Amino acid sequence: MPLIEPIVAAGMAAIVGAKSAQDAALEPSAEPAFELSFNLALVSEYGGRRVSYSEDEIALQGGIDLVEKSGWSFGLWASTLAKDADADLELDFYGARSFALGAAEISFGASLYTFPGAEDWDFGEAQASLAIPLGPIDATFFVNYAWEQENLGDQDNVYAGMNWTSPLGRLWGAPLSLGGSIGYEEGPFAIQGEKLDFSLSLTAEIEEIAFAVSYVDNNLQGSEGHAAWIFSISRTF
């Protein structure tokens, strides 16, 4: 009997092992460790931080995002600039780490902004954000800080504010959403020492293509302070 029991146990183990292997083969494969996405947009004007960077000229924009399931993300984003600018292109590299905090998400990251062809334009910036649902509104509070750098005239720059979006329902089957932002900036990018800006947008998604119209404005004086209507067509895939 003592000799038979191990043989039976081994046989049962072999059967169970074979069954487990079959079950594993039938189960769906594990989720990929990384998710890669691309985005492309055509905008009537590049209004970076609610200030025109393309001077009423159409801008082509696009990017690549790589998100790791543990919370790391990395990306590359590009945009054309004004034709008479020293650089024809803005090329941004960024990375961040996100953490779940109940229903909210907190993120810390950094970006490197480069402008091929232009001298003394490149700079780095650290970012922190908190995304949280507030009833029907998805709100994101953010702080961007560019430390003292030679290309910023040895000055630092702070930009803080909030972005939000909220669904409005459907129009002829197309999902509609309302969005907006408000921001305060102090430093060289505020142009006149300090700046308050805001925007309001309406977006419709048709066949995975987003059509948006936005109103942007700031409190700057002169040509930098003009309000604008910006139209865009974008796709993420």
Side-chain angles (χ1 to χ4, degrees):
M1 194 61 145
L3 192 60
I4 297 176
E5 286 181 348
I7 296 175
V8 173
M12 291 299 294
I15 294 172
V16 172
K19 187 175 186 302
S20 298
Q22 291 175 354
D23 292 343
L26 294 175
E27 289 178 357
S29 58
E31 293 184 2
F34 295 91
E35 181 178 331
L36 186 65
S37 64
F38 303 86
N39 60 81
L40 189 64
L42 189 67
V43 298
S44 61
E45 181 178 351
Y46 175 17
R49 298 187 180 182
R50 318 306 168 236
V51 176
S52 177
Y53 288 179
S54 62
E55 298 180 1
D56 300 322
E57 298 172 6
I58 293 175
L60 178 63
Q61 303 174 339
I64 303 173
D65 291 288
L66 180 67
V67 179
E68 201 270 333
K69 64 180 181 180
S70 68
W72 285 100
S73 61
F74 304 92
L76 168 66
W77 184 85
S79 176
T80 57
L81 302 175
K83 292 179 181 178
D84 59 353
D86 292 340
D88 296 325
L89 185 71
E90 175 183 339
L91 193 59
D92 304 340
F93 304 86
Y94 49 88
R97 179 70 162 91
S98 299
F99 305 87
L101 194 65
E105 183 178 81
I106 189 168
S107 177
F108 301 96
S111 296
L112 174 63
Y113 302 86
T114 67
F115 303 84
E119 295 184 3
D120 305 326
W121 276 29
D122 301 351
F123 68 96
E125 185 179 63
Q127 295 125 356
S129 65
L130 173 66
I132 185 170
L134 301 174
I137 295 175
D138 289 326
T140 300
F141 299 87
F142 65 87
V143 177
N144 297 349
Y145 179 70
W147 56 93
E148 294 182 5
Q149 300 166 59
E150 183 178 356
N151 287 352
L152 299 185
D154 292 323
Q155 303 179 65
D156 61 354
N157 191 90
V158 178
Y159 185 50
M162 180 189 75
N163 301 317
W164 61 270
T165 61
S166 180
L168 288 180
R170 291 176 176 269
L171 179 63
W172 296 314
L176 293 178
S177 61
L178 184 68
S181 70
I182 184 168
Y184 172 79
E185 190 162 28
E186 186 173 322
F189 291 123
I191 302 176
Q192 297 171 11
E194 58 181 10
K195 168 177 66 72
L196 183 67
D197 60 62
F198 70 92
S199 70
L200 193 63
S201 64
L202 181 65
T203 303
E205 186 174 333
I206 304 174
E207 299 295 333
E208 299 184 346
I209 299 176
F211 298 84
V213 55
S214 303
Y215 176 80
V216 301
D217 201 0
N218 59 57
N219 66 343
L220 296 177
Q221 303 298 314
S223 59
E224 292 90 354
H226 77 283
W229 288 95
I230 298 178
F231 302 89
S232 67
I233 303 174
S234 62
R235 169 78 187 273
T236 300
F237 48 93

